[in-house]
Amino acid sequence: MTAKEYLYRIKNLDTEVNIKLEELKCLKQKSLGVQSISFEQKVKSSNGNSSNRVIDKIIDLESLINSEINELINIKAEAHDLITQLKNPKHRSLLTEYYLNNKTLEQTAETMRYSYDYIRHLHSGALANFRKIYNLFYK
């Protein structure tokens, strides 16, 4: 895996988690319209009850999201340790904002108070310097 692929893995996983969180929110909203059931009803009719299927899907999705969040926390911490080794504070800020905080380059430019074009140029340099550090640890 290249340094860029490594960093994009973080952005992609962050986006996937956010999409699943939105899906979970929708499922929970739909489940509010589901009639409540007692445990006796669940035991007697667990195969065909649609409210049970919705609840089961919510539980499964929550479990998957929690697992992915744990993975995301771990790889963000690992990437943060590598990013903090960069000498240039602008490079550290840019990579943190763009990859770890999952912002766009436009949002990163606004946060750092630079033009978009300057951030694009700075990103190339930051990525080149990050690649050197990454390769020391992973090649």
Side-chain angles (χ1 to χ4, degrees):
M1 176 181 326
T2 67
K4 191 172 184 177
E5 290 169 341
Y6 172 82
L7 291 171
Y8 267 105
R9 180 175 156 227
I10 296 167
K11 280 185 83 71
N12 292 336
L13 184 56
D14 209 339
T15 300
E16 287 174 22
V17 166
N18 288 335
I19 289 168
K20 286 180 177 96
L21 285 169
E22 188 62 32
E23 182 183 350
L24 180 63
K25 179 182 169 186
C26 290
L27 278 174
K28 285 184 175 182
Q29 287 174 343
K30 287 179 183 179
S31 74
L32 293 177
V34 175
Q35 295 178 354
S36 64
I37 56 170
S38 69
F39 283 109
E40 293 97 32
Q41 287 174 315
K42 182 171 172 103
V43 170
K44 290 178 185 173
S45 63
S46 62
N47 290 345
N49 193 323
S50 66
S51 61
N52 288 345
R53 286 191 301 269
V54 171
I55 293 167
D56 289 343
K57 183 159 175 99
I58 288 171
I59 292 168
D60 291 345
L61 188 55
E62 284 176 336
S63 177
L64 178 62
I65 290 169
N66 287 335
S67 174
E68 288 183 358
I69 287 172
N70 287 336
E71 178 184 358
L72 184 60
I73 288 168
N74 290 335
I75 62 174
K76 277 188 177 186
E78 182 181 273
H80 182 266
D81 289 345
L82 295 175
I83 289 170
T84 58
Q85 294 181 41
L86 293 169
K87 292 179 182 165
N88 186 326
K90 290 178 186 176
H91 288 177
R92 289 192 306 264
S93 295
L94 188 152
L95 295 181
T96 299
E97 288 295 309
Y98 185 63
Y99 293 103
L100 302 186
N101 295 342
N102 201 22
K103 291 187 177 179
T104 64
L105 283 178
E106 292 87 354
Q107 292 167 327
T108 301
E110 187 176 317
T111 299
M112 294 179 68
R113 296 189 174 143
Y114 293 112
S115 72
Y116 171 74
D117 288 335
Y118 179 71
I119 288 297
R120 279 186 42 230
H121 174 73
L122 190 64
H123 179 258
S124 296
L127 204 52
N129 287 333
F130 179 81
R131 188 177 302 115
K132 293 173 188 173
I133 292 168
Y134 175 83
N135 288 339
L136 287 174
F137 287 90
Y138 294 102
K139 291 277 176 162

